[in-house]
Amino acid sequence: MDTFLVHILAADRSFYEGPCVSLTIPASDGEMGILAHHSSMIAAILPGVLRYQIPGQPVQLAAVSAGMVKVEKNEVLVLVDSAERPEEIDALRAKREADEAREALLQRRSRQEHQLAQATLARAMNRLRVKARG
């Protein structure tokens, strides 16, 4: 089974670095799959579910925020603001954040506050989806 080297880096830590069989990232036009010897590219990552498979292990899930991916010479660099494994996600906290964001969206606020509430809600819902799958 062909592998490639992947570096999944969040703003506050190295999430995973090592061999990888497959990587699926959330992109603007849906999910993007990466296998060994993928052509060189750079793409934006949207908040969503990232899936990666380490040789000999089942597929792993992570909730990721926005970022970018670079593929070059059988090596993949994933840079995101945050990445969380299902077991790291506090479902109660994520639900509370979603509820607070929904409440903020109902209030008449500035455009900037509205966009922040939308982003907070999207992140919380993504975290809950990953927690439910993991």
Side-chain angles (χ1 to χ4, degrees), residues 41-87:
M41 65 161 216
I42 295 176
I45 295 176
L46 297 180
V49 180
L50 178 142
R51 290 189 294 281
Y52 62 103
Q53 185 172 14
I54 299 168
Q57 294 188 19
V59 172
Q60 309 286 314
L61 299 178
V64 295
S65 62
M68 57 88 59
V69 61
K70 177 180 126 182
V71 181
E72 188 175 51
K73 297 179 184 168
N74 214 35
E75 193 165 338
V76 178
L77 174 63
V78 174
L79 299 173
V80 290
D81 290 328
S82 67
E84 296 175 281
R85 292 175 179 86
E87 62 271 15

Side-chain angles (χ1 to χ4, degrees), residues 58-120:
V59 172
Q60 309 286 314
L61 299 178
V64 295
S65 62
M68 57 88 59
V69 61
K70 177 180 126 182
V71 181
E72 188 175 51
K73 297 179 184 168
N74 214 35
E75 193 165 338
V76 178
L77 174 63
V78 174
L79 299 173
V80 290
D81 290 328
S82 67
E84 296 175 281
R85 292 175 179 86
E87 62 271 15
E88 297 171 336
I89 296 171
D90 180 341
L92 291 176
R93 183 174 148 230
K95 185 177 179 337
R96 191 169 50 250
E97 288 172 353
D99 292 343
E100 290 169 3
R102 282 190 195 97
E103 181 63 33
L105 287 171
L106 293 175
Q107 299 174 10
R108 294 197 181 270
R109 297 187 178 206
S110 72
R111 180 182 172 113
Q112 184 177 5
E113 289 172 318
H114 185 79
Q115 288 173 333
L116 179 61
Q118 284 180 315
T120 301

Side-chain angles (χ1 to χ4, degrees), residues 1-4 20-23 34-39 74:
M1 187 175 299
D2 273 352
T3 63
F4 56 94
C20 191
V21 175
S22 68
L23 174 70
I34 299 170
L35 298 172
H37 311 292
H38 193 285
S39 58
N74 214 35

